Amino acid sequence: MRAPLTDLPVAFEDVSLRIRDFTILDRVSLHLAPGAPTVLIGPNGSGKTTLLRVAMGLIEPTAGRVTWGGREHIPPQRRAIVFQRPAMLRRSTAANIEYALAQAGAMRSDWPAHVAELLGLVGLAGFEARPARRLSGGEQQRLALARALARDPEILFLDEPTASLDPAATKAIEDVIRTVAARGIKVVMSTHDLGEARRLAGEIVLLHRGHVVESGTAADFFAGPKTDAARRFIAGELLI
Amino acid sequence: MPSDLTAVQLVLSADPELMGIVSLSLTVSLAAVACAALIGIPLGALIALTRFPGREACIVVLNALMGLPPVVVGLAVYLLLSRSGPLGSWGLLFTPQAMVIAQAILVTPIIAALARQTIEDLWVEYREELAAMNVGPLGRIATLIWDGRFSLTTALLAGFGRAAAEVGAVIIVGGNIDGFTRTMTTAIALETSKGDLPLAIGLGIVLIAIVIVVNALAWGARRAGERFSG
């Protein structure tokens, strides 16, 4: 019997992305394997968002290769992404999730149970009939998380999921991320917030100017950064 | 004043002649809008979602065609359908079908241009989400049309308003034949020139009422969109 196809691990082999004269990713090599969350950190413009988009398969690199479970150029079947500013479909909260369920091929008769479970998971039970675009920023982020999880992903990319949220909304999102990671879904997220990285990360990848400056376990990274850039970043200095 | 009173009586008593004209007008305009929607919405979606050389010029032309002069459209359709024209063998000149064709040509650019704008705005917003959900091309178009349905309804109503109020095209291709191709606008023009003001005023009242109802529906569609879609 053949093993089921999987999107993991996601492997970057010398991946570069150049648009006109700008180098956005510079010979990035990464191996995203099942396990604790991988957190991408780095200053603005370091390439975190682009790396997530390339890892999702939304952008083709101009050099190098990306593989999902050892295969190249495969559509996003078992991976999902939540963008920093997710677009809400002009439908109800429940209908946003139903749309993702339909695209993922879930049986229509199972939708109500899935919707209830996912909205419960992200703390939006009772919001089913509300227009998604009328939800607050934090609620929209949580709905986007539920919508992404409706695809039953093996790997979930989150682009600064708590940017511009207040502490309570940030905690709600982080709780969901922990729950999701505990269920065995590989989380790969970007953040500016070193505190958040400490709270959530199993692995850290520090990016600067499109280049991976340092990567490793979160414990090692914070306890003994190996590069000057990492030391300065952890110390709160500006990396320019 | 007496003619005004007679006009109101004609409307209130549902005068058969007046009702026949109103019925034909609505039938022709609704059919024209239906044809224009079948062409205009997919055309608008195609322009919104594809990139090709000359696309910008295409959008400028489409927007410009929203102001197409009805008499010019009437003349063009007349030349096409006249006995010596390329489609003369169809025998459609001076029939309601010819009026539908002329009005559909007038309304299609309005619906296509407004649909293009609506769908393109949504596409900019949805593009990455739909790509991330692995939605195919037909699914994308269906999603954008469904989620833009309230704005597209407004576009259809704008098209209907244009069709119902125009006179230049239908008078040329319809011929204003009593009981066959006489619409509200052509009847108003004719009856006014004949001095039969009660019927002209009565039809004017109905036409204005229709315009108000259409605008109320457009407003209602917008409100419904805000309420149900956010």
Side-chain angles (χ1 to χ4, degrees):
Chain A
M1 199 170 95
R2 263 191 334 181
L5 294 176
T6 171
D7 277 8
L8 283 170
V10 181
F12 278 57
E13 296 171 21
D14 265 336
V15 168
S16 294
L17 181 70
R18 290 187 180 82
I19 296 178
R20 296 187 195 93
D21 295 333
F22 297 100
T23 299
I24 301 168
L25 292 178
D26 185 15
R27 289 166 292 146
V28 172
S29 292
L30 270 182
H31 190 78
L32 302 169
T38 298
V39 176
L40 311 177
I41 56 174
N44 274 339
S46 58
K48 302 186 296 294
T49 295
T50 304
L51 192 148
L52 289 175
R53 281 170 160 76
V54 172
M56 182 66 193
L58 298 175
I59 302 176
E60 281 278 319
T62 48
R65 65 196 286 257
V66 182
T67 58
W68 294 269
R71 294 161 298 145
E72 270 187 280
H73 308 296
I74 56 167
Q77 296 291 354
R78 298 297 309 278
R79 52 190 192 268
I81 188 167
V82 176
F83 298 103
Q84 188 176 347
R85 277 185 281 276
M88 296 288 106
L89 301 180
R90 296 180 185 205
R91 305 170 186 214
S92 69
T93 298
N96 265 266
I97 296 177
E98 286 167 356
Y99 185 87
L101 288 168
Q103 297 307 322
M107 296 277 289
R108 200 182 183 97
S109 55
D110 295 338
W111 290 3
H114 284 311
V115 169
E117 185 206 341
L118 290 165
L119 287 181
L121 175 68
V122 299
L124 290 178
F127 284 60
E128 287 81 354
R130 289 211 200 166
R133 291 158 62 92
R134 294 239 187 119
L135 301 177
S136 70
E139 289 164 351
Q140 288 194 1
Q141 251 330 321
R142 281 187 277 159
L143 174 55
L145 257 170
R147 197 172 60 188
L149 292 170
R151 297 181 54 71
D152 189 23
E154 290 181 310
I155 182 163
L156 177 63
F157 300 104
L158 306 171
D159 188 8
E160 304 210 17
T162 60
S164 72
L165 297 184
D166 65 22
T170 297
K171 183 180 181 310
I173 296 283
E174 288 186 4
D175 286 345
V176 177
I177 293 171
R178 280 190 200 90
T179 306
V180 164
R183 289 184 179 188
I185 297 171
K186 174 67 181 180
V187 173
V188 180
M189 60 179 281
S190 64
T191 184
H192 272 117
D193 183 346
L194 276 176
E196 181 165 79
R198 284 178 196 271
R199 289 191 294 274
L200 295 174
E203 285 182 315
I204 292 281
V205 176
L206 173 63
L207 283 165
H208 184 41
R209 295 180 178 168
H211 194 71
V212 175
V213 175
E214 187 168 332
S215 63
T217 66
D220 290 346
F221 179 83
F222 287 112
K226 297 180 186 71
T227 59
D228 182 51
R231 273 189 291 275
R232 284 166 50 213
F233 193 73
I234 292 169
E237 291 180 32
L238 297 175
L239 287 185
I240 298 169
Chain B
M1 260 314 140
S3 60
D4 293 350
L5 285 173
T6 314
V8 173
Q9 282 167 358
L10 281 174
V11 175
L12 293 179
S13 65
D15 176 73
E17 185 187 359
L18 183 138
M19 286 300 128
I21 293 169
V22 171
S23 169
L24 176 69
S25 299
L26 292 178
T27 304
V28 166
S29 296
L30 286 172
V33 170
C35 294
L38 286 175
I39 300 166
I41 292 177
L43 179 64
L46 188 72
I47 297 171
L49 301 179
T50 55
R51 296 291 177 269
F52 53 89
R55 179 176 175 274
E56 302 292 319
C58 183
I59 292 170
V60 170
V61 169
L62 191 60
N63 289 342
L65 289 176
M66 288 200 290
L68 211 53
V71 285
V72 174
V73 171
L75 177 62
V77 175
Y78 180 92
L79 293 172
L80 273 176
L81 299 180
S82 65
R83 194 164 291 179
S84 57
L87 304 179
S89 59
W90 292 7
L92 291 178
L93 196 61
F94 304 131
T95 65
Q97 288 91 325
M99 294 152 71
V100 170
I101 292 169
Q103 287 196 347
I105 291 171
L106 272 175
V107 171
T108 297
I110 295 173
I111 292 176
L114 296 177
R116 200 257 333 148
Q117 190 66 58
T118 296
I119 291 169
E120 193 167 317
D121 289 348
L122 266 181
W123 178 233
V124 168
E125 199 180 323
Y126 282 14
R127 179 167 44 200
E128 287 200 310
E129 297 285 358
L130 299 188
M133 284 192 259
N134 200 24
V135 181
L138 286 177
R140 291 175 190 186
I141 291 173
T143 301
L144 295 168
I145 289 176
W146 177 252
D147 281 21
R149 62 195 180 280
F150 296 109
S151 298
L152 292 175
T153 303
T154 306
L156 296 185
L157 291 168
F160 178 78
R162 164 85 153 162
E166 80 82 22
V167 59
V170 286
I171 206 164
I172 293 175
V173 301
N176 201 15
I177 301 165
D178 190 14
F180 186 52
T181 59
R182 186 161 294 172
T183 64
M184 285 186 281
T185 51
T186 60
I188 290 170
L190 178 71
E191 300 305 327
T192 303
S193 67
K194 279 164 52 184
D196 183 2
L197 294 182
L199 183 58
I201 293 171
L203 288 166
I205 291 169
V206 174
L207 195 52
I208 287 170
I210 288 170
V211 169
I212 290 170
V213 168
V214 165
N215 277 284
L217 288 173
W219 187 80
R222 197 177 146 195
R223 292 284 296 182
E226 287 168 0
R227 184 171 171 197
F228 295 112
S229 305

